[in-house]
Amino acid sequence: MKLLFLVTALVVTSLSFSQVVTVFDNRTHKQLDLVYLISFKPNKSLVTNKKGEVDIAPLKSSSLIHVQAPGYLHIETSFPQLEKDSFKIYLNPINFDLDEIVVSATRWRQNASNIPQEVVRINQKDNLFQNPQTSADLLGNSGKVFIQKSQQGGGSPMMRGFATNRLLYSVDGVRMNTAIFRSGNIQNIINLDPFAMENMEVLFGPGSVIYGSDAIGGVMSVKTLTPQLSAEKKKPLIKGKALGRFSTANFEKAGHFDINVGWKNFAFVTSVSVWDFDDLIQGKNGPEDYVKPYYVQRIDTQDVVVYQDNPLMQNPSAYSQINFMQKVRYQPNENWNLEYGFHYSETSDYGRYDRHNRMKNGLPRYAEWYYGPQKWMMNNLGITHSGSNVVYDEMTLRIAQQTFGESRHSRDFNDNFKDNKLERVDAYSANWDFNKGLGEKNTLYYGFEYVLNTVKSSGTIEDIMSDHVEIGPARYPKSMWHSAAVYITDEFRFNKVFSMQAGLRYGYFILDTDFSNNEDFYPLPFTSANNQGGALTGSLGFVIKPNKNWAIRTVLGTAYRAPNVDDMGKIFDSEPGVVVVPNPDLKAEYAYNADLSISKIFGNVAKIEVEGFYTFLNNAMVRRNYQLNGQDSIMYDGELSQVQAIQNASYSHVYGVMFSAEFKLPLGFEISTDFNYQEGLEKNLDGTLTAARHAAPIFGVGRVSYVYKDLKIELNVTYQGARKHEKLALSEQGKTEIYALDENGNTYAPSWYTLNFRAMYTLWEKLNITVGVENITNQRYRTYSSGISGAGRNFTFGASFVF
């Protein structure tokens, strides 16, 4: 009887009032998808599907509805007005707009012009034209985020002088950072499929109020494809795309397919992508120091140095990858939405190319150094309820489980013993987020978060001659990392000219570690450790819009990073002759930040944005000399090594400027540029200030594009400034395997540029053909702090079919 009642209730609610509105381009009369309809009372937002349709019923009581889409003039309407217009909306294209919608970087859909921080959005249209190899390349192509690579299978973003575990990664609202995110470069960004993204948003500056620990330099928020419902009861919505890509510099073969099938209340989307990359060939014109014309091969029982036919080939750098995603959505009525997502990504083994450049006694130090398959799996359930009550207008509960697997394998030249280290992290999280409109001008956002990470780590030593394997030292202790937090943010729109946003968050973290898995290998003075503490962060920002063409933003904010397992418990060799050991006495580090940005549109011709920022990082966790059981050196991996540990022993200053400009010219031409300047200074052992490692040199991109009907062409120049030896971080100055040498034999990062061309032609509004030539002048270059050179002259070909 109860089951019958539940089924009847769902059927009744599914048959409740509905009214479909359709949005068109006023110039072409084509239906527009991804158009947002937003109301502040009730506090609700909707988005159109592929057919430009959306059920407007949830906004039937709204007296003011904002209609917005990138590249179109923002309009305001109401439900009665829509009735008069036969529920059809026509939007006028514009060249520039300050009112873009931010979908996920702030957890809620907000008008970007009311957000005091800089947010950059990369949408599906940008992604389709750029046709990137990986998500790291997609970020780098923006010209606003610097990408470091230690090997071809990687990409570690740098933002505003921070990187790795001082940046936050989010996928569909779920925190991707784990308890073993390290201060060294990480490669997790490649687990994200660029072809399965709805959009990617980058929030620059502190994001700890919303995202908690690690969000110091910024937040990269990815929204994957959302299952789209049909606005018609009897006719399903079917859409998708298939694409292939090939490039010559690494003989890349990539393919992708996704399909969305949606009914009135139920929809699913399935996505699969595969990649295969051969060894990457670098350019001809550049520093000879980057050329390693050999590789190591095992012949019979000996490691032998083999010289390549093509000295520009970077061996080993080949790898392959597969990604799969399945999402299901059920919307029984206008007030409830349930969405489940499954994500899986796995790479093959891939060589750590920079380690293969290390030498010892005139020979390669390593015969093997590679990462095992990098695996990521996520189960994510989101439940959203819309209901205007005293507690909230909209509530979302996200429950997620993730599993991360990675490993490292190394063997010295002509050594029969291989060192293997395997790590697994199981991450569980729950986010309960609310928003509440307090009248037309005020919106309150608040919520709760709980995160649990369990870390399992093991090590083995393998005799490659006899295949005998015995237990070896682990990289990490067995650990559990907990975090619980509450946050609240208020957005107050005084009028159309002035708005304010303020927020607070309190988080508490607990880290428990058990070192018993290493007690037979290292003489640690403790077998377990506990670290816990609280952190209060806040932000206060203002937006002034004198008119629709001006926006001035300023924000003061704090952020923090809690010690994780990698900080407190890791044992590893950071460089030859140095070993890093655990330190159980770490505390959280804090960042204090100030931003000021100005955006200005000049008619329908130009848009210019300038932003300045300053960040002070206090109590910074850095590597410093240490003593273990009263000794400053111990034997590690057969070598007497200086003992170091991560300690709260430093502070740093980072400041800089971001500049961007766009110019729309007659006859379909456009010029745009992004320029980034930043300086980072870090307190050294003797109290002096030296360069901070993750403050990138000057970098940017300049573009000239042409659009005519279904053809788009772009010529761009990507560049990076030089970093002299004395301007390198002290920890970087000795890394001869990744930097070039100046006339005095000292390491430095040379300046470089690449000239690139790409074009896309669309046939029948469905088939897109893309061609490109990257690095036309065949430069040999290496992005700052990277261990592998970029591709030489590279011809790319791609085709995508959208249905």
Side-chain angles (χ1 to χ4, degrees):
M1 188 66 183
K2 291 182 178 179
L3 178 60
L4 178 61
F5 176 79
L6 177 60
V7 172
T8 302
L10 288 176
V11 170
V12 170
T13 54
S14 297
L15 296 175
S16 59
F17 169 81
S18 67
Q19 177 60 61
V20 175
V21 65
T22 308
V23 184
F24 300 88
D25 182 306
N26 194 33
R27 183 177 301 170
T28 65
H29 293 276
K30 294 179 181 178
Q31 295 164 315
L32 299 176
D33 64 344
L34 299 178
V35 178
Y36 293 92
L37 290 81
I38 300 175
S39 168
F40 292 114
K41 190 176 182 180
N43 198 23
K44 179 73 176 177
S45 60
L46 307 172
V47 61
T48 60
N49 62 20
K50 174 193 174 184
K51 296 182 178 180
E53 300 171 337
V54 66
D55 187 347
I56 198 74
L59 304 184
K60 58 183 178 290
S61 63
S62 177
S63 60
L64 182 63
I65 299 172
H66 301 266
V67 184
Q68 297 176 251
Y72 290 88
L73 184 65
H74 168 205
I75 68 169
E76 296 176 354
T77 186
S78 64
F79 195 87
Q81 184 62 48
L82 288 174
E83 285 184 305
K84 293 180 181 179
D85 296 335
S86 302
F87 294 100
K88 294 181 179 180
I89 300 173
Y90 293 87
L91 297 181
N92 291 309
I94 57 172
N95 287 334
F96 306 108
D97 190 10
L98 297 178
D99 290 333
E100 267 198 286
I101 294 297
V102 176
V103 177
S104 51
T106 56
R107 289 200 184 274
W108 299 102
R109 290 173 183 161
Q110 289 181 264
N111 192 317
S113 64
N114 292 328
I115 298 173
Q117 287 179 268
E118 172 75 7
V119 179
V120 173
R121 192 164 193 250
I122 304 170
N123 57 37
Q124 286 180 314
K125 186 177 179 181
D126 300 327
N127 196 351
L128 189 65
F129 179 67
Q130 292 178 16
N131 195 23
Q133 286 194 109
T134 68
S135 295
D137 295 327
L138 178 64
L139 272 172
N141 289 344
S142 71
K144 299 177 184 293
V145 179
F146 191 87
I147 301 296
Q148 180 276 351
K149 290 188 178 183
S150 297
Q151 61 277 327
Q152 185 176 201
S156 188
M158 295 183 182
M159 296 168 54
R160 294 187 165 192
F162 299 102
T164 62
N165 54 18
R166 288 172 180 153
L167 301 177
L168 196 287
Y169 301 79
S170 172
V171 183
D172 290 339
V174 177
R175 174 191 180 92
M176 196 179 184
N177 292 43
T178 73
I180 63 170
F181 265 38
R182 54 191 179 272
S183 59
N185 300 302
I186 59 175
Q187 320 304 329
N188 300 72
I189 191 72
I190 68 169
N191 283 129
L192 305 179
D193 183 354
F195 305 130
M197 291 182 185
E198 199 165 280
N199 60 68
M200 176 185 285
E201 292 168 352
V202 183
L203 184 149
F204 291 88
S208 283
V209 170
I210 301 298
Y211 288 97
S213 178
D214 303 359
I216 291 177
V219 176
M220 287 157 286
S221 178
V222 170
K223 177 69 173 174
T224 61
L225 297 174
T226 300
Q228 291 190 11
L229 301 169
S230 174
E232 303 177 41
K233 293 182 180 180
K234 297 182 180 180
K235 188 176 181 180
L237 172 69
I238 301 175
K239 59 171 289 189
K241 67 177 178 288
L243 65 84
R245 181 188 148 99
F246 173 81
S247 61
T248 59
N250 53 7
F251 204 66
E252 171 203 2
K253 291 83 66 182
H256 167 83
F257 177 78
D258 68 67
I259 185 169
N260 180 108
V261 180
W263 292 269
K264 180 68 175 177
N265 305 104
F266 177 81
F268 70 84
V269 61
T270 303
S271 169
V272 61
S273 299
V274 293
W275 297 264
D276 183 73
F277 305 98
D278 285 358
D279 292 320
L280 181 64
I281 298 174
Q282 61 185 321
K284 291 184 178 180
N285 306 309
E288 288 296 320
D289 302 301
Y290 294 162
V291 177
K292 180 178 75 71
Y294 61 84
Y295 62 93
V296 175
Q297 183 176 339
R298 187 77 172 178
I299 300 178
D300 295 327
T301 59
Q302 296 291 317
D303 292 321
V304 177
V305 175
V306 178
Y307 283 86
Q308 303 165 170
D309 293 335
N310 184 353
L312 301 179
M313 181 177 289
Q314 299 176 100
N315 183 349
S317 60
Y319 81 104
S320 60
Q321 182 174 334
I322 184 169
N323 275 54
F324 175 76
M325 182 184 76
Q326 179 65 61
K327 298 178 81 172
V328 179
R329 179 183 179 187
Y330 178 56
Q331 190 178 77
N333 56 58
E334 65 187 50
N335 293 324
W336 286 96
N337 187 78
L338 290 80
E339 189 174 314
Y340 166 76
F342 172 79
H343 303 257
Y344 184 79
S345 174
E346 181 175 350
T347 71
S348 64
D349 295 345
Y350 53 99
R352 175 78 185 264
Y353 184 76
D354 59 341
R355 293 298 174 96
H356 284 268
N357 287 331
R358 289 186 176 177
M359 305 295 289
K360 187 176 182 180
N361 299 325
L363 291 170
R365 175 171 179 176
Y366 296 105
E368 299 179 75
W369 210 120
Y370 63 92
Y371 289 109
Q374 181 171 285
K375 301 177 182 180
W376 171 62
M377 181 184 73
M378 180 170 77
N379 292 279
N380 178 19
L381 175 63
I383 303 172
T384 299
H385 179 250
S386 301
S388 297
N389 54 55
V390 295
V391 179
Y392 62 84
D393 291 331
E394 192 171 40
M395 175 275 296
T396 297
L397 175 64
R398 294 182 183 88
I399 301 172
Q401 179 272 332
Q402 300 177 83
T403 298
F404 300 81
E406 59 185 57
S407 60
R408 294 161 177 79
H409 310 266
S410 63
R411 183 175 63 84
D412 285 355
F413 190 78
N414 273 327
D415 192 331
N416 293 333
F417 294 96
K418 183 194 293 188
D419 182 61
N420 306 300
K421 288 182 168 53
L422 296 86
E423 283 77 51
R424 170 173 170 151
V425 178
D426 289 297
Y428 308 88
S429 62
N431 293 86
W432 202 7
D433 300 310
F434 303 83
N435 72 49
K436 176 63 180 176
L438 305 176
E440 292 282 355
K441 295 184 176 182
N442 196 9
T443 304
L444 197 65
Y445 305 91
Y446 63 98
F448 310 89
E449 180 184 71
Y450 175 73
V451 178
L452 168 65
N453 283 193
T454 63
V455 178
K456 296 179 181 178
S457 181
S458 62
T460 61
I461 299 174
E462 176 187 354
D463 186 334
I464 65 171
M465 297 294 292
S466 65
D467 292 330
H468 175 71
V469 178
E470 61 183 46
I471 296 175
R475 181 176 172 89
Y476 298 112
K478 181 180 179 181
S479 307
M480 293 183 70
W481 187 89
H482 311 254
S483 173
V486 57
Y487 78 90
I488 184 170
T489 296
D490 185 56
E491 178 187 317
F492 194 89
R493 300 169 293 279
F494 292 89
N495 48 49
K496 290 187 176 182
V497 174
F498 185 60
S499 64
M500 178 189 75
Q501 187 165 298
L504 286 172
R505 180 189 182 101
Y506 181 76
Y508 198 84
F509 62 88
I510 301 173
L511 174 56
D512 292 304
T513 54
D514 178 0
F515 294 92
S516 58
N517 58 346
N518 273 331
E519 60 185 359
D520 293 333
F521 302 100
Y522 303 115
L524 300 176
F526 44 80
T527 58
S528 63
N530 173 273
N531 189 305
Q532 55 186 294
L536 178 67
T537 55
S539 65
L540 176 63
F542 302 93
V543 179
I544 302 172
K545 295 180 289 185
N547 56 53
K548 65 179 182 179
N549 295 325
W550 270 102
I552 302 170
R553 299 180 178 88
T554 184
V555 62
L556 301 173
T558 61
Y560 77 101
R561 186 172 77 83
N564 64 20
V565 177
D566 187 86
D567 299 313
M568 197 177 89
K570 179 172 62 176
I571 299 176
F572 79 111
D573 59 326
S574 62
E575 56 189 91
V578 175
V579 59
V580 177
V581 301
N583 175 15
D585 299 320
L586 287 172
K587 305 298 179 185
E589 57 186 16
Y590 276 87
Y592 304 86
N593 182 81
D595 278 29
L596 175 64
S597 69
I598 299 174
S599 303
K600 171 65 174 173
I601 294 175
F602 297 88
N604 206 29
V605 177
K607 178 181 178 181
I608 294 178
E609 294 183 288
V610 181
E611 180 171 13
F613 63 89
Y614 170 78
T615 303
F616 174 68
L617 182 67
N618 194 28
N619 223 22
M621 289 181 266
V622 294
R623 289 204 317 262
R624 292 290 185 261
N625 290 341
Y626 194 67
Q627 288 194 344
L628 186 64
N629 291 333
Q631 297 181 319
D632 60 10
S633 299
I634 61 172
M635 293 299 297
Y636 180 82
D637 201 19
E639 183 175 357
L640 184 65
S641 300
Q642 169 71 52
V643 175
Q644 292 187 342
I646 305 296
Q647 303 173 56
N648 296 110
S650 185
Y651 59 81
S652 63
H653 305 267
V654 181
Y655 57 91
V657 175
M658 300 173 65
F659 172 83
S660 66
E662 297 178 65
F663 301 92
K664 300 288 186 179
L665 304 178
L667 303 177
F669 286 94
E670 178 181 343
I671 298 175
S672 65
T673 185
D674 287 285
F675 172 82
N676 302 269
Y677 166 79
Q678 53 195 249
E679 287 287 343
L681 298 172
E682 182 178 271
K683 177 190 172 187
N684 198 24
L685 284 168
D686 58 3
T688 59
L689 294 177
T690 56
R693 175 184 178 187
H694 291 130
I698 289 171
F699 72 96
V701 61
R703 315 171 189 87
V704 177
S705 63
Y706 171 73
V707 177
Y708 178 73
K709 294 184 178 181
D710 296 319
L711 173 67
K712 182 175 182 179
I713 298 173
E714 179 183 284
L715 185 69
N716 69 67
V717 177
T718 303
Y719 58 89
Q720 174 205 289
R723 181 63 57 86
K724 295 181 180 180
H725 178 75
E726 58 270 22
K727 291 290 187 178
L728 289 174
L730 294 181
S731 61
E732 298 290 287
Q733 291 181 357
K735 296 181 179 179
T736 56
E737 70 270 21
I738 69 173
Y739 291 104
L741 301 179
D742 62 21
E743 62 275 10
N744 298 316
N746 295 322
T747 53
Y748 82 110
S751 61
W752 56 263
Y753 79 94
T754 62
L755 180 64
N756 313 286
F757 168 84
R758 64 169 62 100
M760 182 173 74
Y761 188 75
T762 302
L763 295 167
W764 313 300
E765 299 183 359
K766 294 181 180 296
L767 179 62
N768 301 286
I769 307 297
T770 58
V771 295
V773 186
E774 299 172 348
N775 194 4
I776 295 172
T777 58
N778 211 11
Q779 299 297 301
R780 184 184 305 138
Y781 72 98
R782 190 169 288 184
T783 59
Y784 165 73
S785 192
S786 292
I788 190 169
S789 299
R793 186 181 294 121
N794 185 31
F795 295 90
T796 66
F797 308 90
S800 63
F801 182 76
V802 180
F803 61 92

